[in-house]
Amino acid sequence: MAATRYRRFLKLCEEWPKDESKKGRDLGTFLRQRVASAFREGENTQISDPEKCDQMYESLARINSNVYKEKFPRAKDTSFTGVTVEECRMLLATGNMQQTDEEKKGLWKTLMERFSSKPEDGTPEKTEK
């Protein structure tokens, strides 16, 4: 029975889409890593809790086959903010996330310099008018 479970998870991993725009944050990649970790011995892996394993598989299979998207159709293809799915994908792409992090660091450093009691380089602060 462990072999059957292993094959089912492998098939699910093959079907699960991989989002290259989310390097290091992609659910498909994470799923593949977890399956490899859980089934270290492949078909010979001993499953400690078969019921929980089956429940996990069924849940992931429902997500992958869009059961809930079909069961609860959306009236619009946007969120409450009006952002479309494609715009959301672009915003959440790893490149954009890294750029946002860099901008935050820049803002944080600027605030720290502005509100610190002593300037970091030892020169007197210049006040803007």
Side-chain angles (χ1 to χ4, degrees):
M1 193 66 181
T4 302
R5 285 185 178 93
Y6 176 65
R7 281 187 238 117
R8 286 172 57 189
F9 271 99
L10 282 182
K11 186 171 179 351
L12 181 65
C13 287
E14 289 173 9
E15 294 173 358
W16 200 283
K18 208 171 170 185
D19 190 343
E20 296 296 331
S21 72
K22 295 181 182 172
K23 297 223 184 275
R25 302 177 301 116
D26 177 53
L27 184 57
T29 302
F30 177 76
L31 175 64
R32 287 168 181 80
Q33 291 168 348
R34 289 294 303 239
V35 168
S37 173
F39 290 94
R40 284 191 186 104
E41 298 174 29
E43 293 183 352
N44 298 322
T45 302
Q46 296 297 314
I47 307 296
S48 61
D49 189 347
E51 187 176 320
K52 185 176 179 183
C53 181
D54 292 342
Q55 287 175 346
M56 179 66 67
Y57 172 80
E58 293 301 328
S59 294
L60 291 168
R62 282 191 301 271
I63 292 170
N64 189 46
S65 62
N66 289 320
V67 167
Y68 300 107
K69 182 179 180 183
E70 292 169 13
K71 188 173 182 178
F72 304 103
R74 297 178 60 135
K76 297 180 180 180
D77 285 335
T78 62
S79 67
F80 71 96
T81 62
V83 176
T84 66
V85 172
E86 190 54 39
E87 290 168 332
C88 223
R89 274 197 191 105
M90 286 177 29
L91 290 170
L92 294 176
T94 300
N96 286 335
M97 297 294 286
Q98 289 172 341
Q99 182 180 354
T100 302
D101 287 345
E102 288 172 11
E103 289 170 2
K104 285 180 188 175
K105 288 177 190 172
L107 176 61
W108 178 250
K109 186 175 180 180
T110 302
L111 291 173
M112 288 300 293
E113 288 172 354
R114 181 167 288 174
F115 293 110
S116 66
S117 57
K118 296 179 185 176
E120 290 181 18
D121 62 358
T123 58
E125 287 186 8
K126 296 179 183 176
T127 55
E128 296 179 23
K129 293 183 182 182

